C-alpha cells in the first residue's frame, strides 16, 4: 500500500510540475504573437532543455499510440500519423538550432552539447522501433494497390526509405552499433562547429602604424576603427576573420607580410591548439563510412548519392572532371597572366602565393576594366539593395514585403517582414539578420523557424523563413554599403527564401527546401543571374548620397568582368567538391590528414601549397552541415541554373509566364516529385554542362 501511495504522489507531483512548467515556459505554450511567430522576447536559453525534454516525451507518446493501435496499418493511421507527429518538438528544435548558429553564445553551445545527444537517441528510438517499421513496411508493400495521390505516394516512399536508411532494417549487434555511431556522429559534428566558431573569434590583428594600413580604402578603415574602438583600442584598427574584414584586407592591404598573417590565421583554424578538429574530421569520416557499410553501401558517398539527382559517385566525378578539363587550362593561363602582372607592378620577380591572389587580382581587374568594389559600393546601400531584391520578387511573382517591427526578434539587428502574395493573401514571415557578430557562424544561409504544410482540416499553415548573412556593417559616418559579391550573396540566399516562402505542399517533410541536396541550390543560384542585368540594376542601384542611378558605363564594366578569372573560381570550387568526395569514398584509415587532403585536391592545385594549412579542419559545409558527399551540388546546380535562366533571356528577364512556370513546377512543389521531372516540366528538356560552359565563354 505504501509503495502504491508513494507512486500516486509521484505521478501527481510530476503532472503538477509539468503543468507549472508549461505555464512558465514560453516554448511549451501556444504562440500567440502575429502569425504564431516565435516569442523571442520571452524565450531564455534555460527554457530550451526542459521544453525539448517534454516535447520528446510528447512525441514518444504519439509514436506509442501509432504502434499500439489495434487497427491494421493504413496510410492514414501509420504514414500520415507519423508525418504529423512531433510537431511541437520540431518547432522547438528549429528555433533552438537556428539560434545556435545565428546567436550562439557559450551558454547556448553548452546547452546544445546536452540537448543534441537526447535528440539523436530519440530519433534512433523511432527509426529503430521494429513494430513501427513493420507497420510502415506493410503499407509500403501495398503501395501499388493503394489509391494514393502523387504526393501521398512520395510521402510513403520517403517515410519507408528514411527509416530503412536510418537503420530500421538492421538487426542485433548491427542495430546497436548503428545507434552508437549515430550518437557519436551527432556529438562530434556539434563539437566541430563549436571549434570553428571559437577559433574564428580567437584571432584579432590590431594595427596602429600608417604603413600597416597602406592601400586600404576608407570604408575598410572606418569599419576596422569601429571594431577597435568597441574592443577598447581607441585610435587603432582591428581586423579579424569575419568575412567583410578579412576580404577587404586581403584585397587591398599593401603589406604582404600582414596579408600572409591573416591568410595563415584563417587557413590554420582548428589545426592544433585548443580547438583542433583534425582527429574529429578523421573520426567523422570513419563513422559515416561505417554507417554506410552497415546499411549495405561500399562507402558514404554511395549511401548519400542513392537519393540525389547524381545517383552515384561515378556521375559526380564525371561532372567534376568534365568541368576541370574545361576550366583548368583557362585557370592556369589566368594565374600565369596574374603573375606577370604582379612582377610588372613590383618591378622584380614574384612568386605568386595564396595571400597574393586577392590583392593582385583586384589590382589587375581594376586596371583591365577600371572597376573595383569601392567604385560600386556607394550604389549598393543595403536599404536600397533590399528594395531591389524584394522588388525582383514583386516583378516576377507579384509578392510584396511589409516590414513589421511588432513581430518579436532574437537580436536587435534582426528585422521582420510579412510577405503577401499577388492576390493580397498572407504568404509567410521573413526574418533578416545581416551583420557579423561573435555569436554567429560565418557565411550566409537561409533557414526556417517554421515550414509550410496543409492541415487535415485544409488550413495552409504558412512558413517563417530566416535569412542570415555576414555583410559589411554601417560605420559611424556611412550606412551599410555592400560589395558586388555581397549583393550576389543576398540574391542567392533570397532564392532559397523564395523556395521556402512559396512552398505549397500538403506535408511538411516534403515542403519548400526539403528536396534533394543537389537540387536545392537551383532556386538560389538562378537568382544570381539577374544581378548583372541592366534592367534589374537600374531598379535599385542608386548612389547613397546623390541618388544617381548606377551609370551605364559602370553597368557595362560589370558585364565585362563577368568572365574575369572564371577558370580560377571554378577550379577553386572543384577543389572543395573533390575534397568532399575523397573523404566520403575512401575506405582505408587515414593516418595523415594533411597528406590525404593534398592528394585529394592536387588535380585542382593552382598556387603553392602552404605548410600547416588545412581545408578539412574548418570545412563546415561537410563536417558540420548537411553537404557531406554533396558539395558538388553547387556545380551541379550551376548547370541547371545556366540552362534555366536562358529561358528568361529568351522571353525577357521579368517575364511572368516563365516565372509562373518556375514557381508552379519548382518553387511550390518542394520534394513532392523527383527533381528531374520537375525541372524537365519547367524547361522542356534535361540540362547539360554545355549550357554552363558556353555561358562562361569556354565552349570553343
Amino acid at each position: 500500500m505504501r509503495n502504491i501511495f508513494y507512486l500516486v504522489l509521484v505521478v501527481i507531483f510530476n503532472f503538477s510540475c509539468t503543468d507549472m512548467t508549461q505555464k512558465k515556459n514560453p516554448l511549451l505554450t501556444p504562440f500567440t504573437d502575429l502569425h504564431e511567430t516565435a516569442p523571442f522576447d520571452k524565450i531564455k536559453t534555460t527554457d530550451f532543455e526542459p521544453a525539448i525534454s517534454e516535447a520528446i516525451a510528447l512525441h514518444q507518446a504519439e509514436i506509442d499510440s501509432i504502434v499500439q493501435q489495434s487497427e491494421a496499418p493504413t496510410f492514414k493511421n501509420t504514414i500520415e500519423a507519423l508525418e504529423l507527429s512531433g510537431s511541437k518538438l520540431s518547432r522547438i528544435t528549429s528555433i533552438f538550432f537556428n539560434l545556435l548558429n545565428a546567436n550562439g553564445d557559450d551558454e547556448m553551445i553548452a546547452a546544445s552539447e546536452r540537448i543534441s545527444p537526447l535528440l539523436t537517441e530519440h530519433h534512433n528510438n523511432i527509426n529503430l522501433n521494429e513494430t513501427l517499421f513493420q507497420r510502415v513496411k506493410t503499407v509500403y508493400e501495398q503501395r501499388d494497390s493503394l489509391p494514393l495521390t502523387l504526393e501521398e505516394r512520395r510521402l510513403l516512399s520517403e517515410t519507408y526509405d528514411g527509416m530503412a536508411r536510418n537503420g530500421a532494417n538492421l538487426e542485433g549487434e548491427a542495430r546497436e552499433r548503428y545507434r552508437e555511431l549515430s550518437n557519436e556522429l551527432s556529438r562530434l559534428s556539434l563539437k566541430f562547429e563549436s571549434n570553428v566558431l571559437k577559433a574564428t573569434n580567437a584571432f584579432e590583428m590590431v594595427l596602429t602604424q600608417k604603413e600597416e594600413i597602406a592601400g586600404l580604402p576608407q570604408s575598410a578603415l572606418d569599419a576596422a576603427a569601429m571594431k577597435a574602438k568597441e574592443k577598447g583600442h581607441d585610435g587603432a584598427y582591428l581586423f579579424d576573420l569575419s568575412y567583410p574584414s578579412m576580404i577587404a584586407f586581403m584585397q587591398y592591404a599593401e603589406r604582404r607580410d600582414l596579408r600572409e598573417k591573416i591568410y595563415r590565421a584563417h587557413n590554420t583554424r582548428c589545426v592544433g591548439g585548443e580547438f583542433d578538429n583534425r582527429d574529429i574530421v578523421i573520426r567523422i569520416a570513419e563513422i559515416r563510412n561505417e554507417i554506410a557499410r552497415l546499411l549495405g553501401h561500399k562507402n558514404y558517398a554511395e549511401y548519400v548519392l542513392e537519393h540525389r539527382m547524381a545517383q552515384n559517385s561515378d556521375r559526380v566525378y564525371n561532372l567534376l572532371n568534365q568541368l576541370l578539363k574545361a576550366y583548368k587550362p583557362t585557370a592556369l593561363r589566368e594565374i600565369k597572366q596574374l603573375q606577370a602582372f604582379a612582377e610588372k607592378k613590383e618591378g622584380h620577380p614574384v612568386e605568386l602565393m595564396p595571400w597574393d591572389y586577392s590583392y593582385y587580382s583586384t589590382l589587375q581587374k581594376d586596371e583591365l576594366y577600371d572597376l573595383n568594389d569601392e567604385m560600386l559600393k556607394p550604389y549598393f546601400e543595403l536599404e536600397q539593395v533590399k528594395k531591389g531584391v524584394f522588388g525582383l520578387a514583386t516583378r516576377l511573382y507579384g509578392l510584396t514585403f511589409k516590414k513589421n517591427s511588432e513581430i518579436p526578434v532574437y537580436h536587435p539587428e534582426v528585422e521582420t517582414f510579412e510577405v503577401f502574395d499577388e492576390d493580397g493573401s498572407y504568404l509567410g514571415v521573413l526574418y533578416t539578420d545581416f551583420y557579423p557578430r561573435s555569436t554567429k557562424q560565418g557565411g550566409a544561409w537561409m533557414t526556417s523557424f517554421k515550414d509550410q504544410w496543409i492541415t487535415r482540416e485544409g488550413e495552409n499553415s504558412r512558413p517563417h523563413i530566416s535569412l542570415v548573412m555576414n555583410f559589411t556593417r554601417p560605420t559611424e559616418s556611412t550606412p551599410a554599403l555592400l560589395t558586388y559579391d555581397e549583393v550576389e550573396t543576398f540574391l542567392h540566399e533570397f532564392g532559397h527564401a523564395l523556395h521556402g516562402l512559396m512552398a505549397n505542399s500538403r506535408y511538411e517533410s516534403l515542403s519548400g527546401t526539403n528536396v534533394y541536396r543537389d537540387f536545392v541550390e537551383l532556386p538560389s543560384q538562378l537568382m544570381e543571374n539577374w544581378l548583372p542585368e541592366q534592367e534589374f540594376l537600374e531598379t535599385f542601384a542608386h548612389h547613397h548620397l546623390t541618388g544617381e542611378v548606377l551609370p551605364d558605363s559602370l553597368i557595362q564594366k560589370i558585364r565585362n568582368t563577368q568572365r574575369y578569372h572564371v577558370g580560377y573560381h571554378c577550379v577553386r570550387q572543384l577543389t572543395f567538391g573533390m575534397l568532399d568526395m575523397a573523404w566520403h569514398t575512401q575506405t582505408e584509415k587515414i593516418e595523415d590528414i594533411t597528406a590525404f587532403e593534398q592528394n585529394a585536391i592536387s588535380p585542382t592545385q593552382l598556387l603553392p601549397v602552404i605548410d600547416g594549412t588545412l581545408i578539412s579542419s574548418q570545412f563546415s559545409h561537410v563536417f558540420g552541415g548537411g553537404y557531406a558527399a554533396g558539395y558538388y551540388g553547387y556545380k551541379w546546380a550551376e548547370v541547371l541554373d545556366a540552362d534555366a535562366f536562358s529561358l528568361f533571356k529568351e522571353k525577357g528577364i521579368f517575364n511572368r509566364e516563365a516565372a509562373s512556370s518556375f514557381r508552379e513546377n519548382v518553387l511550390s512543389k518542394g520534394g513532392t516529385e523527383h527533381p528531374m521531372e520537375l525541372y524537365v516540366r519547367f524547361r522542356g528538356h534535361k540540362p547539360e554542362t554545355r549550357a554552363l560552359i558556353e555561358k562562361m565563354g569556354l565552349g570553343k
Side-chain angles (χ1 to χ4, degrees), residues 25-29 31 47-56 86-98 449:
N25 194 322
L27 291 163
L28 292 171
T29 56
F31 294 173
D47 292 327
F48 282 107
E49 287 184 80
I52 287 173
S53 293
E54 183 155 333
I56 286 175
S87 58
K88 185 178 286 292
L89 179 62
S90 176
R91 188 78 193 276
I92 296 171
T93 54
S94 291
I95 294 170
F96 177 77
F97 285 105
N98 289 332
F449 291 111

Side-chain angles (χ1 to χ4, degrees), residues 600-616:
I601 66 176
S602 59
T604 64
Q605 204 73 49
L606 298 172
L607 294 169
V609 176
I610 306 303
D611 289 342
T613 61
L614 203 63
I615 298 171
S616 301

Side-chain angles (χ1 to χ4, degrees), residues 41-85:
D41 54 336
K42 300 180 181 68
I43 297 171
K44 302 185 296 295
T45 300
T46 53
D47 292 327
F48 282 107
E49 287 184 80
I52 287 173
S53 293
E54 183 155 333
I56 286 175
L58 175 61
H59 191 197
Q60 187 59 56
E62 292 170 334
I63 297 299
D64 291 343
S65 69
I66 297 172
V67 170
Q68 294 167 4
Q69 60 188 317
S70 58
E71 293 84 357
T74 65
F75 177 85
K76 186 173 183 178
N77 72 20
T78 299
I79 305 303
E80 191 172 75
L82 184 57
E83 165 71 13
L84 297 176
S85 70

Side-chain angles (χ1 to χ4, degrees), residues 19-304:
D19 186 57
M20 287 188 291
T21 301
Q22 286 180 332
K23 288 179 179 178
K24 293 180 180 179
N25 194 322
L27 291 163
L28 292 171
T29 56
F31 294 173
T32 57
D33 288 297
L34 182 64
H35 306 307
E36 299 180 354
T37 50
F40 291 115
D41 54 336
K42 300 180 181 68
I43 297 171
K44 302 185 296 295
T45 300
T46 53
D47 292 327
F48 282 107
E49 287 184 80
I52 287 173
S53 293
E54 183 155 333
I56 286 175
L58 175 61
H59 191 197
Q60 187 59 56
E62 292 170 334
I63 297 299
D64 291 343
S65 69
I66 297 172
V67 170
Q68 294 167 4
Q69 60 188 317
S70 58
E71 293 84 357
T74 65
F75 177 85
K76 186 173 183 178
N77 72 20
T78 299
I79 305 303
E80 191 172 75
L82 184 57
E83 165 71 13
L84 297 176
S85 70
S87 58
K88 185 178 286 292
L89 179 62
S90 176
R91 188 78 193 276
I92 296 171
T93 54
S94 291
I95 294 170
F96 177 77
F97 285 105
N98 289 332
L99 291 187
L100 179 66
N101 288 326
N103 205 33
D105 58 15
D106 289 343
E107 187 181 6
M108 283 285 285
I109 292 172
S112 72
E113 292 171 354
R114 296 187 296 270
I115 289 170
S116 188
L118 296 177
L119 291 170
T120 302
E121 183 65 18
H122 172 60
H123 290 302
N124 277 339
N125 288 339
I126 295 172
N127 287 317
L128 300 178
N129 186 313
E130 295 181 54
T131 307
L132 177 64
F133 183 60
Q134 189 56 51
R135 290 185 68 89
V136 170
K137 189 175 182 180
T138 298
V139 181
Y140 181 73
E141 290 173 343
Q142 300 169 358
R143 62 191 180 279
D144 292 336
S145 62
L146 297 176
L148 302 176
T149 66
L150 189 63
E151 188 169 349
E152 288 171 340
R153 287 183 178 278
R154 188 74 172 178
L155 179 65
L156 174 56
S157 175
E158 291 295 306
T159 301
Y160 174 81
D161 288 345
M163 293 188 73
R165 289 170 59 80
N166 282 280
N169 275 320
L170 298 177
E171 297 178 352
E173 291 183 5
R175 175 180 287 255
E176 290 310 306
R177 182 59 177 160
Y178 176 87
R179 186 187 293 273
E180 293 172 7
L181 291 170
S182 58
N183 285 335
E184 185 182 359
L185 181 60
S186 172
R187 179 180 59 80
L188 289 177
S189 298
L190 205 61
K191 182 64 174 174
F192 179 95
E193 283 288 83
S194 174
N195 282 347
V196 172
L197 179 61
K198 290 176 179 177
T200 300
N201 290 336
F203 176 83
E204 293 179 352
M205 185 171 69
V206 179
L207 306 178
T208 58
Q209 303 301 313
K210 188 174 182 180
E211 64 270 17
E212 293 175 323
I213 58 172
L216 286 159
Q218 192 60 47
S219 61
L221 293 175
D222 289 344
M226 189 167 71
K227 278 178 179 282
K229 185 176 181 180
E230 290 171 353
K231 295 292 184 72
H233 303 290
D234 286 354
Y237 302 92
L238 190 154
F239 293 89
D240 56 26
L241 300 183
S242 63
Y243 185 83
S245 178
M246 179 181 66
I247 293 301
F249 198 89
M250 297 301 289
Q251 284 184 321
Y252 295 107
E254 294 176 5
R255 280 283 297 270
R256 193 185 195 204
D257 60 325
L258 296 181
R259 296 200 308 269
E260 179 181 354
K261 182 177 181 179
I262 284 196
Y263 175 87
R264 287 184 180 275
H266 182 265
N267 290 281
T268 57
R269 286 179 300 165
C270 305
V271 180
E274 183 182 359
F275 309 119
D276 195 345
N277 269 340
R278 290 175 295 179
D279 288 343
I280 291 176
V281 165
I282 291 173
R283 184 59 187 149
I284 286 175
E286 288 176 347
I287 292 171
R288 286 172 173 168
N289 279 312
E290 186 175 348
I291 286 174
R293 290 192 293 272
L294 278 175
L295 297 173
H297 301 273
K298 65 180 180 180
N299 56 50
Y300 191 73
E302 294 303 322
Y303 162 72
V304 168

